[in-house]
Amino acid sequence: MRSGLSIGEFSRLTHLSVRTLRRYHEGGLLVPSHVDDLTGYRYYSAAQIPTAQVIHRLRELDVPLPAVRRILDAGDPGARSALVAEHLRRLESELDRTWAAVRSLRRLLAPEPAPVQVEVRSLPATTVAAVEDDVELDDVLGWYAGAMAELDATLDGPLGTPGGVYDNALFETGRGHVLVHRPTQDPPSRGRVRPVELPAVELAVATHVGDHDDIDVTYGEVGAWVVANAL
């Protein structure tokens, strides 16, 4: 005499394929309430339907199987909510990166992209308040945010426009020296902040319009302008 719902019936009720249910059983994620010793047939109880539905929703959100198991094993509803919220934050971050890439690609593939206006500007030697270090390319955005926050928290009085000097090796080998700075009248030495003198320099300058993730497109157009003008 059978006990509970067959795997086919349970599959229809939960919209999880038989193959998926077998995989969840083998992985210890959704174990049948009864397995026939003679036939090996799997049977499920009606009480397992909500659990299967939760698993289905989590997998639709691309939650990895180990994370699904942790969520199901968390007895405290608050702990479950925290685990789900953590994954949703990762999804939102990935979605933001995806949309930034889409916008950048659309700009690159536009029939007649708006030309970038480039000008040559000469700057005298300037003393600035700066934070500098050797940084991995994958870590540069987080490092930049921390360095700028420290500059802003350390400096008083009117501040100039923030800037940065990036070693070519950062892009060529994935690690290089980075210096970010703010012009100020009396740069202090406090924490990571130090006074640094930037040498006189002639720059090719353009204004980037758009997200920071898209800045390489403008940088490439400036580079093309420099090459075209034999600089």
Side-chain angles (χ1 to χ4, degrees):
M1 180 178 180
R2 80 173 192 174
S3 173
L5 301 164
S6 71
I7 192 171
E9 292 167 335
F10 195 74
S11 171
R12 291 192 294 274
L13 290 173
T14 59
H15 292 180
L16 292 170
S17 70
V18 170
R19 178 181 296 179
T20 298
L21 289 171
R22 287 173 178 160
R23 188 171 71 251
Y24 289 171
H25 179 197
E26 293 167 359
L29 193 61
L30 184 59
V31 178
S33 60
H34 174 71
V35 178
D36 190 291
D37 293 333
L38 295 177
T39 64
Y41 291 165
R42 298 169 172 88
Y43 296 97
Y44 296 81
S45 69
Q48 290 180 287
I49 292 175
T51 300
Q53 292 170 335
V54 168
I55 295 172
H56 191 187
R57 296 297 185 276
L58 292 173
R59 291 299 289 152
E60 284 183 330
L61 291 173
D62 295 326
V63 179
L65 290 179
V68 173
R69 186 176 294 108
R70 287 197 301 272
I71 292 169
L72 295 176
D73 290 344
D76 177 24
R80 289 178 180 172
S81 297
L83 288 169
V84 173
E86 179 184 351
H87 182 74
L88 291 178
R89 284 192 294 270
R90 284 197 296 269
L91 285 180
E92 289 170 351
S93 177
E94 291 171 4
L95 186 60
D96 288 343
R97 287 196 298 271
T98 299
W99 276 115
V102 168
R103 288 191 293 269
S104 177
L105 190 58
R106 283 175 174 166
R107 175 181 172 184
L108 288 168
L109 297 178
E112 295 181 2
V116 172
Q117 300 300 318
V118 182
E119 62 173 289
V120 176
R121 186 181 303 170
S122 296
L123 298 180
T126 308
T127 299
V128 296
V131 174
E132 57 184 320
D133 203 351
D134 293 330
V135 182
E136 298 285 342
L137 182 58
D138 291 341
D139 301 330
V140 72
L141 290 181
W143 182 89
Y144 175 89
M148 289 307 306
E150 186 169 350
L151 281 169
D152 290 343
T154 302
L155 302 179
D156 298 320
L159 304 177
T161 303
V165 180
Y166 301 86
D167 187 3
N168 288 337
L170 180 69
F171 307 100
E172 295 171 359
T173 67
R175 181 178 177 82
H177 196 76
V178 180
L179 181 148
V180 294
H181 60 80
R182 271 192 182 277
T184 186
Q185 291 182 346
D186 188 18
S189 293
R190 192 180 312 149
R192 292 189 297 170
V193 178
R194 295 287 184 275
V196 172
E197 182 174 338
L198 301 179
V201 66
E202 188 174 67
L203 301 174
V205 180
T207 299
H208 171 68
V209 179
D211 298 327
H212 185 276
D213 290 340
D214 199 25
I215 200 168
D216 61 315
V217 177
T218 299
Y219 195 84
E221 292 176 345
V222 171
W225 183 92
V226 168
V227 172
N229 286 273
L231 300 178

